[in-house]
Amino acid sequence: MGIIVQKFGGTSVGSIERIQNAARRVIKEADQGNQVVVVVSAMGKTTDDLVSLASQLSAQPSKREMDMLLSTGEQVTIALLSMALQAEGKNAVSLTGWQAGIETEDRPSNARILNIDTSRIVGLLDKENIVIVAGFQGMVEKTREITTLGRGGSDTTAVALAAALGADRCDIYTDVTGVFTTDPRVVASARKIPSISYDEMLEMANLGAGVLHPRAVEFAKNFQVKLEVRSSLAEERGTLVEEEATMEQNLMVRGLAFEGNITKITVANLPNGIETLSSLFSTLADNGINVDIIIQNVVNESTTNISFSIDSSVLGETQDVLAACQQELGFESIITEGGLAKVSIVGSGMISNPGVAAKMFKGLSQKGIMIKMVSTSEIKVSTVVSQADMVKAVETLHDVFELDVRQPAHQL
Amino acid sequence: MGIIVQKFGGTSVGSIERIQNAARRVIKEADQGNQVVVVVSAMGKTTDDLVSLASQLSAQPSKREMDMLLSTGEQVTIALLSMALQAEGKNAVSLTGWQAGIETEDRPSNARILNIDTSRIVGLLDKENIVIVAGFQGMVEKTREITTLGRGGSDTTAVALAAALGADRCDIYTDVTGVFTTDPRVVASARKIPSISYDEMLEMANLGAGVLHPRAVEFAKNFQVKLEVRSSLAEERGTLVEEEATMEQNLMVRGLAFEGNITKITVANLPNGIETLSSLFSTLADNGINVDIIIQNVVNESTTNISFSIDSSVLGETQDVLAACQQELGFESIITEGGLAKVSIVGSGMISNPGVAAKMFKGLSQKGIMIKMVSTSEIKVSTVVSQADMVKAVETLHDVFELDVRQPAHQL
């Protein structure tokens, strides 16, 4: 008996049948006496279709007009889900982002939520309505401009609403049954993780696990919103994402994340100096190039080598940017190595287990896998290896850390 | 040099190419130094597609949610047209109905415009933007509910905006080149009318000419908005709709309207009484049955016969309603005659030409066409004939009133 926020992604509302299925999930929570707020994405490929229309008109359509265009996708879904609930005899009211009181900053296509005025939602809930809110969108209150929240926006809407409403739980319905120890399409023995901490989830999400957007996880962590990632089709518990303290066990390694298509770039013999690093990476950031792992290696008193990894798709752009600033920064040359992959272990338990990284390196070396780069955080160790070794590395580490062994199930 | 409002209907923005074509029409007006406000409908069959989705979820979806659903159609078009204009180097900003300041009454699916706060549009025009407004929609300011304006809503939006902005002209772009003396698919010699008065247009529109919604014409008449109905594809002048005083000639008969699928119902031997007519037609109106021509025929001192015409599609419903109130109203029986059609002549000149109706009846009788009902207004004479005679009647009257003879062209 409390407030539950449910979020259904694009595939979970991708057809009339799926919308009716989602309606049944909503009704199930409502019939248990909960007040239910539902956040939905655009149906299936709707957003792609709209983007395609825009691209036929303009190579670079204005972000403001893209927001105007794309925000219709969620608006269609909220109306249809509301109708599906009404057809089942429930009171339901749909609200666009701006009607739901979601105020954002004035940054088209990638706005952050500044505030949620929940008065309208609360009023509707108190009159026994199920409230359906369009995800991914909000409004600049002062100018009445429609904005969208960028990638993962509907997850963020759901978590932000859960925080603002003081919801008991935020359920993220998706097309997988939860968060897995690693990608089950790659490692057959991958298992669903019953519960995971926000920080672990963040590391998994950032590394490509992909079921939950990092922004939403950060939001959930900051406001202590308890999440559950679960399937909209299968009737089973998913993965709880919550504060560690409430979890039964601090596992040394909770899961493995990996991604391919990585290139390592080494900027050789860069003159040493206080400004060196900041100049280099500011220049890259200003050009919109996303750098992942960074390693600095002092060669001698006057020069340094800096290596970093990027997604291979931005290699050409990165080379152009570096070439343009070579004279200014004064480095000697650029060395690139493509065909790489990143494999990471994630687990909040590794903070108190100093041997975890060593165990990882040993496991990989025993299989003859060469490690090209290493990066560590308190709850993560990432290694860069040859892409040809990626799957073998993931399988090896899944065994080494016994991730196929059942973890204790969470109690709700 | 002034403010021009342009409205493009669904077929005129039905594809990317059509939207680009509409953009060229907009640019042409803007390049002549005009401030341009464009009102658009949903693309082609978008509205039908959305209605079909809704009907799969509910036999009778709530009007409030239908408004939420359908209003997305125009929002897609405004964004795309704005992008098309920007791609041609123009400053353009799209606005939803609520962003454009269109305030309506709180009547879902059929709201009337109460007020337009033009401040945002005027501000954008003054900064040299072309402003694109979503037709067919508005908002209840107090509750922030999205509403739609019902059939012909985009025409109404355009005319209302033209009135509120004091526009010099409101151009209605459509898939025909103007208003014709009668349907050119039926009468080969039908000609485009260069100019027509509001009242004549109202009679033509109500009788099924269909290029311009009656509500919009009424609005234009009330606020003296000069309209031009013209083709979005052909480069030619259309039909001006304006106050008679400005027109060169008061034609006796401006055009012919006709519609088939009509049933005549006679309520026989209804007791005479002050309340009789109002009871009967209030009962029909309360049940949503639209009655067209009404003829009363007093039979004797105590009883009367009343005949009226309806669209044949509501015959069953009408019979049910009448059967339910037979005892209360005390009439003897109901006689129905289907398979009828209405053929009307329209022209503001007939007020001062008493022989027009007689000329019409004579023309029809000479061709052996039996007239079943007659109804007249100051600028219209309608006859009900057998549907089998409809086309022959229209052709005959087109000849009788010499509508194939060129009328003087208007000067702009």
Side-chain angles (χ1 to χ4, degrees):
Chain A
M1 313 310 109
I3 299 179
I4 305 287
V5 174
Q6 300 181 305
K7 182 257 173 179
F8 293 90
T11 51
S12 301
V13 291
S15 68
I16 291 294
E17 292 68 32
R18 292 276 176 96
I19 287 172
Q20 289 168 324
N21 177 64
R24 281 189 289 273
R25 290 299 176 118
V26 174
I27 290 170
K28 199 173 161 190
E29 289 293 349
D31 283 351
Q32 285 168 25
N34 294 302
Q35 293 187 314
V36 184
V37 175
V38 189
V39 174
V40 290
S41 301
M43 289 174 73
K45 296 288 165 209
T46 303
T47 303
D48 293 345
D49 292 345
L50 292 172
V51 169
S52 156
L53 283 177
S55 69
Q56 292 174 55
L57 286 167
S58 171
Q60 203 152 19
S62 91
K63 289 181 176 177
R64 194 260 180 203
E65 298 299 339
M66 281 305 286
D67 284 2
M68 181 66 86
L69 182 67
L70 297 185
S71 61
T72 62
E74 288 75 23
Q75 191 174 329
V76 167
T77 319
I78 56 172
L80 294 177
L81 180 55
S82 185
M83 289 174 191
L85 289 166
Q86 290 171 356
E88 297 292 326
K90 297 292 169 185
N91 296 326
V93 175
S94 68
L95 299 176
T96 63
W98 57 271
Q99 287 177 327
I102 297 172
E103 299 171 24
T104 75
E105 56 182 5
D106 188 5
R107 187 157 58 156
S109 293
N110 200 22
R112 279 174 305 192
I113 295 175
L114 294 177
N115 184 43
I116 301 183
D117 174 354
T118 58
S119 54
R120 187 162 179 181
I121 295 179
V122 169
L124 287 168
L125 288 176
D126 287 348
K127 285 182 187 147
E128 309 211 330
N129 290 288
I130 296 166
V131 180
I132 325 290
V133 178
F136 179 66
Q137 60 180 252
M139 178 170 76
V140 183
E141 188 62 28
K142 196 177 160 192
T143 57
R144 287 193 165 194
E145 288 284 275
I146 296 172
T147 49
T148 67
L149 308 182
R151 282 178 62 100
S154 289
D155 286 349
T156 307
T157 301
V159 174
L161 276 174
L165 292 164
D168 296 0
R169 215 173 63 237
C170 179
D171 290 347
I172 308 286
Y173 285 90
T174 179
D175 52 357
V176 295
T177 57
V179 181
F180 280 70
T181 51
T182 195
D183 188 336
R185 290 167 302 187
V186 173
V187 179
S189 59
R191 279 185 325 94
K192 187 166 71 187
I193 302 173
S195 75
I196 186 170
S197 74
Y198 297 118
D199 286 335
E200 290 172 332
M201 188 65 217
L202 266 178
E203 296 289 5
M204 293 292 278
N206 271 323
L207 293 167
V211 288
L212 197 52
H213 199 268
R215 265 170 83 184
V217 180
E218 272 182 48
F219 217 110
K221 176 179 150 94
N222 290 341
F223 292 92
Q224 297 289 307
V225 175
K226 193 191 275 190
L227 301 177
E228 184 168 346
V229 177
R230 56 192 304 187
S231 164
S232 57
L233 297 173
E235 280 284 351
E236 56 182 84
R237 302 295 336 188
T239 297
L240 266 185
V241 188
E242 57 190 333
E243 201 49 86
E244 276 171 277
T246 69
M247 294 167 55
E248 301 195 13
Q249 194 183 13
N250 252 2
L251 280 191
M252 207 161 70
V253 174
R254 183 86 53 193
L256 295 177
F258 59 93
E259 58 181 316
N261 205 32
I262 284 174
T263 292
K264 175 185 174 184
I265 295 190
T266 301
V267 178
N269 288 323
L270 187 66
N272 264 334
I274 291 173
E275 303 279 317
T276 304
L277 269 178
S278 92
S279 295
L280 176 61
F281 290 106
S282 298
T283 305
L284 291 168
D286 290 348
N287 284 278
I289 290 163
N290 212 355
V291 167
D292 186 9
I293 295 176
I294 298 171
I295 292 170
Q296 186 179 19
N297 204 1
V298 175
V299 177
N300 56 43
E301 268 177 29
S302 60
T303 62
T304 186
N305 285 348
I306 291 180
S307 298
F308 56 87
S309 66
I310 54 166
D311 191 280
S312 301
S313 65
V314 295
L315 173 60
E317 215 179 326
T318 307
Q319 287 175 316
D320 291 347
V321 170
L322 289 174
C325 68
Q326 180 165 12
Q327 196 144 23
E328 187 196 337
L329 294 177
F331 59 84
E332 192 181 284
S333 61
I334 295 166
I335 304 148
T336 65
E337 180 178 7
L340 302 177
K342 183 166 70 165
V343 177
S344 308
I345 56 174
V346 174
S348 49
M350 67 177 66
I351 299 174
S352 46
N353 285 280
V356 174
K359 190 171 175 182
M360 179 186 193
F361 302 155
K362 187 177 168 195
L364 294 176
S365 75
Q366 281 180 339
K367 294 282 181 171
I369 297 169
M370 163 88 86
I371 299 171
K372 314 250 179 182
M373 292 173 97
V374 172
S375 165
T376 60
S377 79
E378 289 187 333
I379 64 165
K380 181 191 72 171
V381 180
S382 295
T383 59
V384 171
V385 300
S386 164
Q387 181 141 2
D389 289 333
M390 181 176 79
V391 171
K392 188 164 70 169
V394 174
E395 286 170 340
T396 300
L397 296 173
H398 207 263
D399 283 347
V400 165
F401 292 104
E402 297 177 339
L403 293 179
D404 55 335
V405 177
R406 176 171 295 280
Q407 297 172 35
H410 58 76
Q411 312 283 326
L412 283 181
Chain B
M1 313 311 109
I3 299 179
I4 305 286
V5 174
Q6 299 182 306
K7 182 256 172 178
F8 293 91
T11 51
S12 301
V13 291
S15 67
I16 291 294
E17 293 68 33
R18 293 274 176 97
I19 287 172
Q20 288 167 326
N21 176 66
R24 281 190 289 273
R25 290 300 178 117
V26 174
I27 289 170
K28 199 173 162 192
E29 290 292 350
D31 283 351
Q32 285 170 24
N34 294 302
Q35 294 187 313
V36 184
V37 175
V38 189
V39 174
V40 289
S41 301
M43 290 174 73
K45 296 287 165 210
T46 304
T47 303
D48 292 346
D49 292 346
L50 292 172
V51 168
S52 156
L53 283 177
S55 69
Q56 292 174 54
L57 285 166
S58 172
Q60 201 151 22
S62 91
K63 289 181 175 178
R64 194 260 178 201
E65 298 299 338
M66 282 305 287
D67 284 1
M68 179 67 85
L69 181 68
L70 297 184
S71 61
T72 62
E74 287 76 23
Q75 191 173 329
V76 167
T77 319
I78 57 173
L80 294 176
L81 180 55
S82 186
M83 289 174 192
L85 289 166
Q86 291 172 355
E88 297 293 326
K90 298 292 171 186
N91 296 327
V93 175
S94 68
L95 299 176
T96 62
W98 56 270
Q99 286 177 328
I102 297 173
E103 299 171 25
T104 75
E105 56 181 5
D106 187 7
R107 188 158 58 158
S109 293
N110 200 22
R112 279 174 306 190
I113 295 175
L114 294 178
N115 184 44
I116 301 183
D117 174 354
T118 59
S119 54
R120 187 162 179 181
I121 294 179
V122 170
L124 288 167
L125 289 175
D126 287 348
K127 286 183 186 146
E128 308 209 332
N129 290 290
I130 296 166
V131 180
I132 326 290
V133 178
F136 179 67
Q137 58 179 253
M139 179 170 75
V140 182
E141 189 62 30
K142 195 177 161 192
T143 57
R144 288 193 164 196
E145 288 282 277
I146 296 172
T147 49
T148 68
L149 309 182
R151 282 178 64 101
S154 290
D155 286 348
T156 307
T157 301
V159 174
L161 276 173
L165 292 165
D168 296 0
R169 214 175 61 237
C170 179
D171 289 348
I172 307 287
Y173 285 91
T174 179
D175 51 358
V176 295
T177 58
V179 180
F180 280 71
T181 51
T182 195
D183 189 335
R185 290 168 301 186
V186 173
V187 178
S189 59
R191 280 183 323 94
K192 187 166 71 187
I193 302 173
S195 75
I196 186 171
S197 73
Y198 297 118
D199 286 335
E200 289 172 331
M201 186 67 215
L202 267 178
E203 296 289 6
M204 293 292 277
N206 272 323
L207 293 167
V211 288
L212 197 52
H213 199 267
R215 265 169 82 183
V217 180
E218 272 182 48
F219 217 110
K221 176 179 151 90
N222 290 340
F223 292 93
Q224 295 290 307
V225 175
K226 194 192 273 189
L227 302 177
E228 184 169 346
V229 177
R230 56 193 304 187
S231 165
S232 56
L233 297 171
E235 280 285 351
E236 55 181 86
R237 303 292 341 185
T239 298
L240 266 184
V241 189
E242 57 190 334
E243 199 51 83
E244 275 170 276
T246 70
M247 294 166 58
E248 304 194 14
Q249 194 183 14
N250 252 1
L251 280 191
M252 206 162 70
V253 174
R254 184 85 55 193
L256 295 178
F258 58 92
E259 58 181 317
N261 205 32
I262 285 174
T263 292
K264 174 186 173 185
I265 295 189
T266 301
V267 178
N269 288 322
L270 188 65
N272 264 333
I274 293 173
E275 303 279 317
T276 304
L277 269 178
S278 91
S279 294
L280 175 61
F281 291 104
S282 299
T283 304
L284 290 169
D286 290 348
N287 285 277
I289 291 163
N290 212 356
V291 168
D292 187 8
I293 296 177
I294 298 172
I295 292 171
Q296 187 178 18
N297 202 3
V298 175
V299 177
N300 54 44
E301 269 177 29
S302 61
T303 62
T304 187
N305 285 348
I306 291 179
S307 297
F308 55 88
S309 67
I310 54 168
D311 192 279
S312 301
S313 64
V314 294
L315 173 60
E317 215 180 325
T318 307
Q319 287 175 314
D320 290 347
V321 170
L322 290 174
C325 67
Q326 180 164 12
Q327 196 146 23
E328 188 196 335
L329 294 176
F331 60 83
E332 191 181 286
S333 61
I334 297 166
I335 303 148
T336 66
E337 179 178 6
L340 301 177
K342 182 166 70 168
V343 176
S344 308
I345 56 174
V346 175
S348 49
M350 69 176 69
I351 298 176
S352 46
N353 285 281
V356 175
K359 190 171 177 182
M360 179 186 193
F361 303 154
K362 187 176 167 192
L364 294 176
S365 74
Q366 282 179 339
K367 294 282 180 173
I369 297 168
M370 162 88 86
I371 299 170
K372 315 252 180 180
M373 294 173 96
V374 172
S375 163
T376 60
S377 79
E378 291 188 331
I379 64 166
K380 182 193 72 171
V381 180
S382 295
T383 57
V384 172
V385 300
S386 164
Q387 181 141 1
D389 288 334
M390 180 176 80
V391 172
K392 187 165 68 169
V394 174
E395 286 170 341
T396 300
L397 295 174
H398 207 263
D399 284 346
V400 165
F401 292 103
E402 297 176 339
L403 293 180
D404 56 335
V405 177
R406 177 171 295 279
Q407 299 171 36
H410 59 76
Q411 312 285 325
L412 279 182

